[in-house]
Amino acid sequence: MEKKSKIAGFCLILALIVAGGIYSSTVFGGKSDPEVVQLNDEGKKQEIPKDPKDTSEELADITIVNEKEVSKENLEQELSSEAVIHVCGEVNNPGVYTLSEKARVVDAIEAAGGVTKDAAEDAFNQAALITDGQRIYVPNKKEVETLSDAEIAEVVLSTPIGKGKNDESSNKTKVNINKATKEELMTIPGIGEAKALSIISYRTEHGVFSTIEELQNISGIKSAVFNRMKDFITVGK
């Protein structure tokens, strides 16, 4: 009887020690859930077999991998978005360049080797975004002397064919400057009502245009404006 009492007392003390250890680990060890330990018949610690139905860790790994793949895909798409543009005029290396679609006019000019000493670089907005298929013409200082800000903007940034209000009609057929009415002339890029009337007045006084270059004889149509419109006009046959 006495022996049984001693064993019971010993078990009680052992239980209190184990309980105290778990409490201490929970409160002071910073763990919200105590570690469950399973002992074998010999009193040694053994690992608890993992539940084959528990796939939380695998799902977490898959989620991380998928997030990385999506990020990589977005980066590749962003890098593959390009714009092909033509830079000409007062730049050191005029030509066709491929840039990011998020690039700006200043980036296009830098790609073309920067502007020349004669460039009117402060006459237009170099912060404007570029467009695929666009032609960027950098005028010289003399060319912009007689042009308004709106005319300079039209000269510098040529919208790709079919995207601008004037380009849509000129994409169908070139405008015959010897026969066109005022309204038809105003569909030419860079030609407003005043210039259209000047063209009509000029051909009335001097006869038909023999070449499209003769347009530069008209006041207000300098080389920069002419370069903007030359691909959209004809003198007919």
Side-chain angles (χ1 to χ4, degrees):
M1 190 72 176
E2 183 180 354
K3 184 177 181 180
K4 290 183 179 180
S5 298
K6 290 182 178 180
I7 294 174
F10 176 78
C11 291
L12 178 60
I13 293 171
L14 181 61
L16 290 173
I17 293 173
V18 172
I22 294 175
Y23 175 80
S24 176
S25 175
T26 303
V27 175
F28 301 104
K31 296 182 179 179
S32 58
D33 296 320
E35 180 182 2
V36 178
V37 179
Q38 181 173 318
L39 303 179
N40 58 17
D41 296 337
E42 299 178 356
K44 295 181 179 180
K45 179 179 176 181
Q46 67 178 21
E47 294 183 0
I48 301 176
K50 184 178 180 180
D51 185 354
K53 295 181 181 179
D54 184 6
T55 59
S56 59
E57 292 184 5
E58 287 81 355
L59 290 175
D61 292 340
I62 292 173
T63 301
I64 293 174
V65 171
N66 288 340
E67 287 178 351
K68 290 181 178 179
E69 290 178 350
V70 170
S71 298
K72 182 179 180 181
E73 182 179 353
N74 291 339
L75 178 60
E76 290 177 348
Q77 288 178 352
E78 184 174 343
L79 292 175
S80 63
S81 300
E82 298 177 335
V84 180
I85 56 168
H86 178 203
V87 188
C88 54
E90 295 295 334
V91 290
N92 291 310
N93 300 305
V96 177
Y97 296 90
T98 301
L99 302 175
S100 165
E101 65 174 3
K102 295 183 179 180
R104 299 180 183 270
V105 172
V106 64
D107 300 317
I109 293 175
E110 288 180 359
V115 297
T116 67
K117 63 179 181 179
D118 297 322
E121 56 183 315
D122 295 328
F124 57 93
N125 182 15
Q126 296 191 37
L129 287 168
I130 66 171
T131 304
D132 183 46
Q134 193 173 48
R135 176 178 177 269
I136 298 174
Y137 177 84
V138 179
N140 60 47
K141 296 172 183 176
K142 291 183 178 180
E143 288 173 333
V144 301
E145 288 179 354
T146 59
L147 300 179
S148 66
D149 291 342
E151 289 173 328
I152 293 173
E154 287 186 348
V155 168
V156 174
L157 301 176
S158 299
T159 307
I161 292 176
K163 291 186 179 180
K165 62 180 181 179
N166 292 329
D167 291 340
E168 185 175 354
S169 60
S170 60
N171 188 33
K172 297 177 182 178
T173 181
K174 291 186 176 183
V175 177
N176 187 335
I177 58 177
N178 284 322
K179 298 180 179 181
T181 63
K182 180 185 74 172
E183 288 72 20
E184 290 172 334
L185 289 170
M186 289 174 64
T187 65
I188 302 170
I191 297 298
E193 183 176 3
K195 285 190 177 66
L197 292 174
S198 295
I199 292 173
I200 294 174
S201 177
Y202 184 90
R203 75 188 185 198
T204 300
E205 295 178 10
H206 301 86
V208 297
F209 296 95
S210 58
T211 64
I212 61 174
E213 285 76 15
E214 283 188 52
L215 276 177
Q216 296 179 84
N217 294 332
I218 298 175
S219 177
I221 302 180
K222 303 303 179 182
S223 59
V225 176
F226 176 75
N227 287 332
R228 172 82 168 90
M229 67 175 72
K230 66 180 181 180
D231 295 329
F232 305 96
I233 58 177
T234 180
V235 294
K237 295 183 179 179

